[in-house]
Amino acid sequence: MDEKNMRMVLLYDFYQGLLTEKQRYMMDLYYQQDFSLAEIAEILLVSRQAVYDHLKRTENILEKHEKNMKLIEKYFQQQKIIKNIEEKIGSCELESVGTELSDFLDELKELLKQL
Amino acid sequence: MDEKNMRMVLLYDFYQGLLTEKQRYMMDLYYQQDFSLAEIAEILLVSRQAVYDHLKRTENILEKHEKNMKLIEKYFQQQKIIKNIEEKIGSCELESVGTELSDFLDELKELLKQL
């Protein structure tokens, strides 16, 4: 998957709740189920161009939502912090630690995974 | 602040990026700056009822966004996990720990605060 597609999958993941059912359906066929424009056109009995235009419009809507809400930006910031914490815990393990502390660190790691 | 207002402030905080400038302006006056309906009506040269209707509509929009996106629900789930981690770290401190481990735990707490 190229970088542009990856971004669109991410945008769809975060903002699909703000799309109409029709917009979600097309995005799902194209980005999740990997149908081609021609195949979607055949399914929906419309032209390939109509599918393209519809997807383009939906993509613009998703980009606008990210511009206004920055959920993806915040998500990556948070992932960076979580990675920092994980690395800190990892570096502590490298030293010789007792079983009790080792269990404690494992539990912290488990909790972090849930974030 | 009563419970309903608290929820609306929270909804506004999460979804204001999806509102129009006018919607944000009214919500800000009413919920953040604590103006009354009558005061807002005077500022905007409209009836008190018009202000009330506008706010009601905006509140419904915000509730609909939460229903579709569940950002607040996810936020509280995450806060619960962070609290769990903090408690775990706190309980570890209760035992007598060396300076090195104590510093380590302080650093973890600092990182968690950034989440």
Side-chain angles (χ1 to χ4, degrees):
Chain A
M1 199 184 283
D2 66 27
E3 208 172 297
K4 194 180 171 304
N5 278 5
M6 266 176 59
R7 175 166 175 84
M8 211 37 75
V9 168
L10 209 55
L11 281 167
Y12 180 65
D13 201 34
F14 275 83
Y15 297 107
Q16 58 178 287
L18 298 173
L19 297 179
T20 66
E21 205 169 324
K22 189 179 170 198
Q23 287 166 339
R24 273 203 299 276
Y25 184 55
M26 282 231 199
M27 289 294 285
D28 181 62
L29 288 176
Y30 189 68
Y31 284 108
Q32 315 272 46
Q33 301 198 47
D34 211 24
F35 279 81
S36 71
L37 293 177
E39 285 168 332
I40 298 173
E42 216 177 297
I43 292 170
L44 300 178
L45 302 173
V46 294
S47 69
R48 189 185 171 287
Q49 184 64 37
V51 175
Y52 177 83
D53 290 344
H54 188 92
L55 281 171
K56 242 334 111 210
R57 269 199 304 278
T58 306
E59 288 172 16
N60 289 340
I61 290 170
L62 292 174
E63 287 288 2
K64 198 187 80 189
H65 287 324
E66 172 60 12
K67 190 165 166 264
N68 291 331
M69 296 195 69
K70 302 197 192 314
L71 293 183
I72 294 177
E73 197 179 309
K74 286 175 200 157
Y75 171 77
F76 280 119
Q77 279 168 0
Q78 193 172 62
Q79 288 303 308
K80 213 166 138 185
I81 296 167
I82 292 172
K83 198 162 165 265
N84 268 350
I85 298 176
E86 283 172 345
E87 277 173 7
K88 194 156 282 302
I89 293 173
S91 73
C92 184
E93 278 184 311
L94 289 177
E95 303 154 32
S96 61
V97 292
T99 321
E100 208 181 323
L101 180 56
S102 172
D103 287 348
F104 164 75
L105 293 172
D106 283 342
E107 284 173 55
L108 281 187
K109 279 193 287 186
E110 270 311 307
L111 285 167
L112 281 172
K113 271 188 209 152
Q114 294 171 27
L115 278 175
Chain B
M1 199 185 284
D2 66 27
E3 208 173 297
K4 191 176 172 308
N5 278 6
M6 267 176 60
R7 175 166 174 83
M8 211 37 75
V9 168
L10 207 56
L11 280 167
Y12 181 65
D13 201 35
F14 275 83
Y15 297 107
Q16 59 178 285
L18 298 174
L19 298 178
T20 66
E21 204 168 324
K22 190 181 169 196
Q23 287 166 337
R24 273 202 299 275
Y25 184 55
M26 282 232 199
M27 290 294 285
D28 182 61
L29 287 177
Y30 189 69
Y31 285 107
Q32 316 271 48
Q33 302 198 46
D34 211 25
F35 279 82
S36 71
L37 293 177
E39 286 168 333
I40 298 173
E42 216 179 297
I43 293 170
L44 300 178
L45 302 174
V46 295
S47 69
R48 188 184 171 288
Q49 184 65 38
V51 175
Y52 176 83
D53 291 345
H54 188 91
L55 281 171
K56 248 323 120 219
R57 268 199 303 279
T58 307
E59 288 172 16
N60 289 340
I61 289 169
L62 292 174
E63 287 288 3
K64 197 186 80 190
H65 288 324
E66 172 60 13
K67 189 166 166 264
N68 290 332
M69 296 194 71
K70 303 196 192 313
L71 292 184
I72 294 178
E73 197 179 310
K74 285 175 200 156
Y75 170 76
F76 280 120
Q77 279 168 0
Q78 193 172 63
Q79 287 304 307
K80 213 166 139 186
I81 296 167
I82 292 172
K83 198 164 166 263
N84 268 350
I85 298 176
E86 283 172 345
E87 278 174 6
K88 194 157 281 304
I89 294 173
S91 72
C92 184
E93 277 184 313
L94 289 177
E95 303 156 31
S96 62
V97 291
T99 320
E100 205 180 325
L101 181 56
S102 172
D103 288 348
F104 164 75
L105 293 172
D106 283 342
E107 283 172 54
L108 281 187
K109 280 194 287 186
E110 271 311 307
L111 285 167
L112 281 172
K113 271 188 210 152
Q114 294 169 25
L115 278 175

PDB file of all heavy atoms in Angstrom, chain A residues 14-41:
ATOM      1  N   PHE A  14     -10.420   6.832  11.488  1.00  0.00           N
ATOM      2  CA  PHE A  14     -10.721   7.813  12.539  1.00  0.00           C
ATOM      3  C   PHE A  14     -12.053   8.530  12.323  1.00  0.00           C
ATOM      4  O   PHE A  14     -12.731   8.869  13.282  1.00  0.00           O
ATOM      5  CB  PHE A  14      -9.596   8.854  12.628  1.00  0.00           C
ATOM      6  CG  PHE A  14      -8.460   8.416  13.498  1.00  0.00           C
ATOM      7  CD1 PHE A  14      -7.460   7.595  13.005  1.00  0.00           C
ATOM      8  CD2 PHE A  14      -8.403   8.798  14.826  1.00  0.00           C
ATOM      9  CE1 PHE A  14      -6.423   7.163  13.818  1.00  0.00           C
ATOM     10  CE2 PHE A  14      -7.364   8.380  15.652  1.00  0.00           C
ATOM     11  CZ  PHE A  14      -6.379   7.566  15.139  1.00  0.00           C
ATOM     12  N   TYR A  15     -12.400   8.804  11.069  1.00  0.00           N
ATOM     13  CA  TYR A  15     -13.532   9.703  10.813  1.00  0.00           C
ATOM     14  C   TYR A  15     -14.721   9.055  10.102  1.00  0.00           C
ATOM     15  O   TYR A  15     -15.631   9.754   9.682  1.00  0.00           O
ATOM     16  CB  TYR A  15     -13.055  10.913  10.005  1.00  0.00           C
ATOM     17  CG  TYR A  15     -12.046  11.754  10.736  1.00  0.00           C
ATOM     18  CD1 TYR A  15     -10.712  11.746  10.382  1.00  0.00           C
ATOM     19  CD2 TYR A  15     -12.447  12.543  11.819  1.00  0.00           C
ATOM     20  CE1 TYR A  15      -9.770  12.508  11.068  1.00  0.00           C
ATOM     21  CE2 TYR A  15     -11.527  13.306  12.504  1.00  0.00           C
ATOM     22  CZ  TYR A  15     -10.193  13.287  12.123  1.00  0.00           C
ATOM     23  OH  TYR A  15      -9.280  14.038  12.811  1.00  0.00           O
ATOM     24  N   GLN A  16     -14.728   7.736   9.969  1.00  0.00           N
ATOM     25  CA  GLN A  16     -15.829   7.111   9.234  1.00  0.00           C
ATOM     26  C   GLN A  16     -17.180   7.382   9.900  1.00  0.00           C
ATOM     27  O   GLN A  16     -18.212   7.422   9.225  1.00  0.00           O
ATOM     28  CB  GLN A  16     -15.606   5.606   9.062  1.00  0.00           C
ATOM     29  CG  GLN A  16     -15.447   4.831  10.338  1.00  0.00           C
ATOM     30  CD  GLN A  16     -15.291   3.336  10.052  1.00  0.00           C
ATOM     31  OE1 GLN A  16     -16.232   2.664   9.687  1.00  0.00           O
ATOM     32  NE2 GLN A  16     -14.081   2.836  10.212  1.00  0.00           N
ATOM     33  N   GLY A  17     -17.155   7.615  11.215  1.00  0.00           N
ATOM     34  CA  GLY A  17     -18.399   7.916  11.932  1.00  0.00           C
ATOM     35  C   GLY A  17     -19.065   9.196  11.451  1.00  0.00           C
ATOM     36  O   GLY A  17     -20.242   9.429  11.723  1.00  0.00           O
ATOM     37  N   LEU A  18     -18.307  10.036  10.750  1.00  0.00           N
ATOM     38  CA  LEU A  18     -18.867  11.307  10.272  1.00  0.00           C
ATOM     39  C   LEU A  18     -19.314  11.236   8.808  1.00  0.00           C
ATOM     40  O   LEU A  18     -19.773  12.232   8.253  1.00  0.00           O
ATOM     41  CB  LEU A  18     -17.832  12.431  10.437  1.00  0.00           C
ATOM     42  CG  LEU A  18     -17.391  12.715  11.882  1.00  0.00           C
ATOM     43  CD1 LEU A  18     -16.257  13.720  11.896  1.00  0.00           C
ATOM     44  CD2 LEU A  18     -18.557  13.205  12.722  1.00  0.00           C
ATOM     45  N   LEU A  19     -19.158  10.066   8.194  1.00  0.00           N
ATOM     46  CA  LEU A  19     -19.554   9.926   6.783  1.00  0.00           C
ATOM     47  C   LEU A  19     -20.978   9.386   6.664  1.00  0.00           C
ATOM     48  O   LEU A  19     -21.503   8.792   7.607  1.00  0.00           O
ATOM     49  CB  LEU A  19     -18.580   8.974   6.080  1.00  0.00           C
ATOM     50  CG  LEU A  19     -17.115   9.410   5.992  1.00  0.00           C
ATOM     51  CD1 LEU A  19     -16.291   8.334   5.296  1.00  0.00           C
ATOM     52  CD2 LEU A  19     -16.968  10.741   5.260  1.00  0.00           C
ATOM     53  N   THR A  20     -21.569   9.561   5.493  1.00  0.00           N
ATOM     54  CA  THR A  20     -22.876   8.949   5.223  1.00  0.00           C
ATOM     55  C   THR A  20     -22.655   7.465   4.914  1.00  0.00           C
ATOM     56  O   THR A  20     -21.527   7.035   4.636  1.00  0.00           O
ATOM     57  CB  THR A  20     -23.558   9.598   4.005  1.00  0.00           C
ATOM     58  OG1 THR A  20     -22.765   9.295   2.847  1.00  0.00           O
ATOM     59  CG2 THR A  20     -23.656  11.099   4.148  1.00  0.00           C
ATOM     60  N   GLU A  21     -23.750   6.731   4.896  1.00  0.00           N
ATOM     61  CA  GLU A  21     -23.645   5.293   4.631  1.00  0.00           C
ATOM     62  C   GLU A  21     -23.059   5.037   3.231  1.00  0.00           C
ATOM     63  O   GLU A  21     -22.223   4.155   3.061  1.00  0.00           O
ATOM     64  CB  GLU A  21     -25.042   4.664   4.741  1.00  0.00           C
ATOM     65  CG  GLU A  21     -24.986   3.185   5.089  1.00  0.00           C
ATOM     66  CD  GLU A  21     -26.363   2.626   5.470  1.00  0.00           C
ATOM     67  OE1 GLU A  21     -27.129   3.367   6.105  1.00  0.00           O
ATOM     68  OE2 GLU A  21     -26.638   1.485   5.101  1.00  0.00           O
ATOM     69  N   LYS A  22     -23.486   5.840   2.280  1.00  0.00           N
ATOM     70  CA  LYS A  22     -23.015   5.670   0.895  1.00  0.00           C
ATOM     71  C   LYS A  22     -21.497   5.950   0.799  1.00  0.00           C
ATOM     72  O   LYS A  22     -20.763   5.239   0.113  1.00  0.00           O
ATOM     73  CB  LYS A  22     -23.789   6.621  -0.026  1.00  0.00           C
ATOM     74  CG  LYS A  22     -23.531   6.359  -1.501  1.00  0.00           C
ATOM     75  CD  LYS A  22     -24.331   7.298  -2.386  1.00  0.00           C
ATOM     76  CE  LYS A  22     -23.885   7.202  -3.834  1.00  0.00           C
ATOM     77  NZ  LYS A  22     -24.323   8.357  -4.622  1.00  0.00           N
ATOM     78  N   GLN A  23     -21.076   7.015   1.486  1.00  0.00           N
ATOM     79  CA  GLN A  23     -19.650   7.354   1.480  1.00  0.00           C
ATOM     80  C   GLN A  23     -18.830   6.226   2.113  1.00  0.00           C
ATOM     81  O   GLN A  23     -17.776   5.831   1.604  1.00  0.00           O
ATOM     82  CB  GLN A  23     -19.413   8.658   2.247  1.00  0.00           C
ATOM     83  CG  GLN A  23     -19.881   9.899   1.499  1.00  0.00           C
ATOM     84  CD  GLN A  23     -19.965  11.130   2.369  1.00  0.00           C
ATOM     85  OE1 GLN A  23     -20.062  11.039   3.598  1.00  0.00           O
ATOM     86  NE2 GLN A  23     -19.946  12.291   1.755  1.00  0.00           N
ATOM     87  N   ARG A  24     -19.342   5.696   3.218  1.00  0.00           N
ATOM     88  CA  ARG A  24     -18.640   4.591   3.895  1.00  0.00           C
ATOM     89  C   ARG A  24     -18.561   3.359   3.001  1.00  0.00           C
ATOM     90  O   ARG A  24     -17.537   2.693   2.938  1.00  0.00           O
ATOM     91  CB  ARG A  24     -19.373   4.228   5.200  1.00  0.00           C
ATOM     92  CG  ARG A  24     -18.937   5.040   6.399  1.00  0.00           C
ATOM     93  CD  ARG A  24     -19.235   4.311   7.699  1.00  0.00           C
ATOM     94  NE  ARG A  24     -20.656   4.065   7.879  1.00  0.00           N
ATOM     95  CZ  ARG A  24     -21.513   4.945   8.392  1.00  0.00           C
ATOM     96  NH1 ARG A  24     -21.077   6.117   8.799  1.00  0.00           N
ATOM     97  NH2 ARG A  24     -22.781   4.661   8.528  1.00  0.00           N
ATOM     98  N   TYR A  25     -19.662   3.082   2.309  1.00  0.00           N
ATOM     99  CA  TYR A  25     -19.731   1.893   1.457  1.00  0.00           C
ATOM    100  C   TYR A  25     -18.663   1.948   0.365  1.00  0.00           C
ATOM    101  O   TYR A  25     -17.916   0.994   0.154  1.00  0.00           O
ATOM    102  CB  TYR A  25     -21.133   1.792   0.851  1.00  0.00           C
ATOM    103  CG  TYR A  25     -21.380   0.563   0.021  1.00  0.00           C
ATOM    104  CD1 TYR A  25     -21.160  -0.715   0.558  1.00  0.00           C
ATOM    105  CD2 TYR A  25     -21.825   0.653  -1.293  1.00  0.00           C
ATOM    106  CE1 TYR A  25     -21.378  -1.849  -0.208  1.00  0.00           C
ATOM    107  CE2 TYR A  25     -22.052  -0.482  -2.064  1.00  0.00           C
ATOM    108  CZ  TYR A  25     -21.823  -1.728  -1.516  1.00  0.00           C
ATOM    109  OH  TYR A  25     -22.045  -2.853  -2.274  1.00  0.00           O
ATOM    110  N   MET A  26     -18.586   3.085  -0.300  1.00  0.00           N
ATOM    111  CA  MET A  26     -17.593   3.242  -1.383  1.00  0.00           C
ATOM    112  C   MET A  26     -16.165   3.184  -0.841  1.00  0.00           C
ATOM    113  O   MET A  26     -15.289   2.554  -1.436  1.00  0.00           O
ATOM    114  CB  MET A  26     -17.798   4.583  -2.085  1.00  0.00           C
ATOM    115  CG  MET A  26     -18.947   4.538  -3.046  1.00  0.00           C
ATOM    116  SD  MET A  26     -18.416   5.152  -4.641  1.00  0.00           S
ATOM    117  CE  MET A  26     -19.971   5.540  -5.379  1.00  0.00           C
ATOM    118  N   MET A  27     -15.923   3.873   0.249  1.00  0.00           N
ATOM    119  CA  MET A  27     -14.582   3.890   0.848  1.00  0.00           C
ATOM    120  C   MET A  27     -14.172   2.480   1.274  1.00  0.00           C
ATOM    121  O   MET A  27     -13.027   2.070   1.104  1.00  0.00           O
ATOM    122  CB  MET A  27     -14.543   4.818   2.072  1.00  0.00           C
ATOM    123  CG  MET A  27     -14.628   6.292   1.753  1.00  0.00           C
ATOM    124  SD  MET A  27     -13.198   6.925   0.840  1.00  0.00           S
ATOM    125  CE  MET A  27     -11.954   6.992   2.126  1.00  0.00           C
ATOM    126  N   ASP A  28     -15.144   1.757   1.821  1.00  0.00           N
ATOM    127  CA  ASP A  28     -14.872   0.396   2.275  1.00  0.00           C
ATOM    128  C   ASP A  28     -14.497  -0.502   1.093  1.00  0.00           C
ATOM    129  O   ASP A  28     -13.519  -1.252   1.153  1.00  0.00           O
ATOM    130  CB  ASP A  28     -16.116  -0.142   3.000  1.00  0.00           C
ATOM    131  CG  ASP A  28     -15.882  -1.541   3.522  1.00  0.00           C
ATOM    132  OD1 ASP A  28     -14.986  -1.705   4.372  1.00  0.00           O
ATOM    133  OD2 ASP A  28     -16.572  -2.476   3.066  1.00  0.00           O
ATOM    134  N   LEU A  29     -15.281  -0.397   0.008  1.00  0.00           N
ATOM    135  CA  LEU A  29     -14.986  -1.217  -1.177  1.00  0.00           C
ATOM    136  C   LEU A  29     -13.596  -0.899  -1.732  1.00  0.00           C
ATOM    137  O   LEU A  29     -12.818  -1.802  -2.055  1.00  0.00           O
ATOM    138  CB  LEU A  29     -16.032  -0.965  -2.275  1.00  0.00           C
ATOM    139  CG  LEU A  29     -17.439  -1.531  -2.051  1.00  0.00           C
ATOM    140  CD1 LEU A  29     -18.353  -1.109  -3.190  1.00  0.00           C
ATOM    141  CD2 LEU A  29     -17.403  -3.056  -1.950  1.00  0.00           C
ATOM    142  N   TYR A  30     -13.291   0.385  -1.801  1.00  0.00           N
ATOM    143  CA  TYR A  30     -12.033   0.788  -2.455  1.00  0.00           C
ATOM    144  C   TYR A  30     -10.810   0.589  -1.552  1.00  0.00           C
ATOM    145  O   TYR A  30      -9.801   0.015  -1.977  1.00  0.00           O
ATOM    146  CB  TYR A  30     -12.135   2.258  -2.888  1.00  0.00           C
ATOM    147  CG  TYR A  30     -10.991   2.706  -3.763  1.00  0.00           C
ATOM    148  CD1 TYR A  30     -10.847   2.206  -5.059  1.00  0.00           C
ATOM    149  CD2 TYR A  30     -10.054   3.625  -3.304  1.00  0.00           C
ATOM    150  CE1 TYR A  30      -9.796   2.611  -5.872  1.00  0.00           C
ATOM    151  CE2 TYR A  30      -8.993   4.033  -4.114  1.00  0.00           C
ATOM    152  CZ  TYR A  30      -8.875   3.526  -5.391  1.00  0.00           C
ATOM    153  OH  TYR A  30      -7.831   3.921  -6.190  1.00  0.00           O
ATOM    154  N   TYR A  31     -10.896   1.064  -0.314  1.00  0.00           N
ATOM    155  CA  TYR A  31      -9.701   1.067   0.535  1.00  0.00           C
ATOM    156  C   TYR A  31      -9.561  -0.171   1.431  1.00  0.00           C
ATOM    157  O   TYR A  31      -8.463  -0.560   1.777  1.00  0.00           O
ATOM    158  CB  TYR A  31      -9.673   2.329   1.403  1.00  0.00           C
ATOM    159  CG  TYR A  31      -9.270   3.547   0.615  1.00  0.00           C
ATOM    160  CD1 TYR A  31     -10.190   4.521   0.283  1.00  0.00           C
ATOM    161  CD2 TYR A  31      -7.951   3.703   0.184  1.00  0.00           C
ATOM    162  CE1 TYR A  31      -9.821   5.641  -0.450  1.00  0.00           C
ATOM    163  CE2 TYR A  31      -7.572   4.811  -0.548  1.00  0.00           C
ATOM    164  CZ  TYR A  31      -8.512   5.776  -0.867  1.00  0.00           C
ATOM    165  OH  TYR A  31      -8.134   6.858  -1.593  1.00  0.00           O
ATOM    166  N   GLN A  32     -10.682  -0.733   1.846  1.00  0.00           N
ATOM    167  CA  GLN A  32     -10.573  -1.892   2.740  1.00  0.00           C
ATOM    168  C   GLN A  32     -10.603  -3.195   1.943  1.00  0.00           C
ATOM    169  O   GLN A  32      -9.831  -4.104   2.196  1.00  0.00           O
ATOM    170  CB  GLN A  32     -11.714  -1.911   3.782  1.00  0.00           C
ATOM    171  CG  GLN A  32     -12.003  -0.581   4.456  1.00  0.00           C
ATOM    172  CD  GLN A  32     -11.152  -0.354   5.703  1.00  0.00           C
ATOM    173  OE1 GLN A  32      -9.949  -0.581   5.692  1.00  0.00           O
ATOM    174  NE2 GLN A  32     -11.791   0.117   6.761  1.00  0.00           N
ATOM    175  N   GLN A  33     -11.528  -3.275   0.993  1.00  0.00           N
ATOM    176  CA  GLN A  33     -11.671  -4.541   0.253  1.00  0.00           C
ATOM    177  C   GLN A  33     -10.896  -4.534  -1.059  1.00  0.00           C
ATOM    178  O   GLN A  33     -10.937  -5.515  -1.810  1.00  0.00           O
ATOM    179  CB  GLN A  33     -13.151  -4.829   0.005  1.00  0.00           C
ATOM    180  CG  GLN A  33     -13.941  -4.922   1.311  1.00  0.00           C
ATOM    181  CD  GLN A  33     -15.261  -5.623   1.124  1.00  0.00           C
ATOM    182  OE1 GLN A  33     -15.323  -6.675   0.509  1.00  0.00           O
ATOM    183  NE2 GLN A  33     -16.324  -5.023   1.657  1.00  0.00           N
ATOM    184  N   ASP A  34     -10.248  -3.421  -1.341  1.00  0.00           N
ATOM    185  CA  ASP A  34      -9.329  -3.334  -2.468  1.00  0.00           C
ATOM    186  C   ASP A  34      -9.956  -3.572  -3.847  1.00  0.00           C
ATOM    187  O   ASP A  34      -9.297  -4.089  -4.750  1.00  0.00           O
ATOM    188  CB  ASP A  34      -8.160  -4.310  -2.239  1.00  0.00           C
ATOM    189  CG  ASP A  34      -6.889  -3.792  -2.879  1.00  0.00           C
ATOM    190  OD1 ASP A  34      -6.784  -2.563  -3.067  1.00  0.00           O
ATOM    191  OD2 ASP A  34      -6.020  -4.608  -3.223  1.00  0.00           O
ATOM    192  N   PHE A  35     -11.227  -3.203  -4.007  1.00  0.00           N
ATOM    193  CA  PHE A  35     -11.835  -3.249  -5.337  1.00  0.00           C
ATOM    194  C   PHE A  35     -11.263  -2.121  -6.186  1.00  0.00           C
ATOM    195  O   PHE A  35     -10.876  -1.071  -5.658  1.00  0.00           O
ATOM    196  CB  PHE A  35     -13.357  -3.059  -5.229  1.00  0.00           C
ATOM    197  CG  PHE A  35     -14.108  -4.294  -4.847  1.00  0.00           C
ATOM    198  CD1 PHE A  35     -14.181  -4.686  -3.512  1.00  0.00           C
ATOM    199  CD2 PHE A  35     -14.726  -5.080  -5.804  1.00  0.00           C
ATOM    200  CE1 PHE A  35     -14.875  -5.834  -3.142  1.00  0.00           C
ATOM    201  CE2 PHE A  35     -15.422  -6.231  -5.441  1.00  0.00           C
ATOM    202  CZ  PHE A  35     -15.499  -6.607  -4.113  1.00  0.00           C
ATOM    203  N   SER A  36     -11.228  -2.326  -7.499  1.00  0.00           N
ATOM    204  CA  SER A  36     -10.779  -1.247  -8.397  1.00  0.00           C
ATOM    205  C   SER A  36     -11.948  -0.301  -8.675  1.00  0.00           C
ATOM    206  O   SER A  36     -13.113  -0.644  -8.415  1.00  0.00           O
ATOM    207  CB  SER A  36     -10.275  -1.841  -9.709  1.00  0.00           C
ATOM    208  OG  SER A  36     -11.376  -2.341 -10.450  1.00  0.00           O
ATOM    209  N   LEU A  37     -11.644   0.877  -9.233  1.00  0.00           N
ATOM    210  CA  LEU A  37     -12.696   1.832  -9.600  1.00  0.00           C
ATOM    211  C   LEU A  37     -13.686   1.183 -10.571  1.00  0.00           C
ATOM    212  O   LEU A  37     -14.908   1.331 -10.431  1.00  0.00           O
ATOM    213  CB  LEU A  37     -12.081   3.078 -10.250  1.00  0.00           C
ATOM    214  CG  LEU A  37     -11.223   3.979  -9.358  1.00  0.00           C
ATOM    215  CD1 LEU A  37     -10.630   5.113 -10.198  1.00  0.00           C
ATOM    216  CD2 LEU A  37     -12.018   4.539  -8.196  1.00  0.00           C
ATOM    217  N   ALA A  38     -13.153   0.447 -11.566  1.00  0.00           N
ATOM    218  CA  ALA A  38     -14.004  -0.197 -12.574  1.00  0.00           C
ATOM    219  C   ALA A  38     -14.931  -1.227 -11.934  1.00  0.00           C
ATOM    220  O   ALA A  38     -16.119  -1.317 -12.283  1.00  0.00           O
ATOM    221  CB  ALA A  38     -13.139  -0.859 -13.645  1.00  0.00           C
ATOM    222  N   GLU A  39     -14.397  -1.985 -11.000  1.00  0.00           N
ATOM    223  CA  GLU A  39     -15.218  -3.011 -10.336  1.00  0.00           C
ATOM    224  C   GLU A  39     -16.348  -2.377  -9.507  1.00  0.00           C
ATOM    225  O   GLU A  39     -17.487  -2.848  -9.518  1.00  0.00           O
ATOM    226  CB  GLU A  39     -14.337  -3.877  -9.421  1.00  0.00           C
ATOM    227  CG  GLU A  39     -13.474  -4.874 -10.185  1.00  0.00           C
ATOM    228  CD  GLU A  39     -12.394  -5.519  -9.312  1.00  0.00           C
ATOM    229  OE1 GLU A  39     -11.949  -4.889  -8.328  1.00  0.00           O
ATOM    230  OE2 GLU A  39     -11.998  -6.645  -9.632  1.00  0.00           O
ATOM    231  N   ILE A  40     -16.007  -1.278  -8.806  1.00  0.00           N
ATOM    232  CA  ILE A  40     -17.038  -0.605  -8.002  1.00  0.00           C
ATOM    233  C   ILE A  40     -18.106  -0.021  -8.928  1.00  0.00           C
ATOM    234  O   ILE A  40     -19.302  -0.101  -8.639  1.00  0.00           O
ATOM    235  CB  ILE A  40     -16.412   0.512  -7.121  1.00  0.00           C
ATOM    236  CG1 ILE A  40     -15.416  -0.110  -6.136  1.00  0.00           C
ATOM    237  CG2 ILE A  40     -17.497   1.271  -6.360  1.00  0.00           C
ATOM    238  CD1 ILE A  40     -14.620   0.907  -5.330  1.00  0.00           C
ATOM    239  N   ALA A  41     -17.660   0.538 -10.050  1.00  0.00           N
ATOM    240  CA  ALA A  41     -18.599   1.098 -11.030  1.00  0.00           C
ATOM    241  C   ALA A  41     -19.576   0.019 -11.510  1.00  0.00           C
ATOM    242  O   ALA A  41     -20.784   0.272 -11.637  1.00  0.00           O
ATOM    243  CB  ALA A  41     -17.823   1.679 -12.211  1.00  0.00           C
TER     244      ALA A  41
END
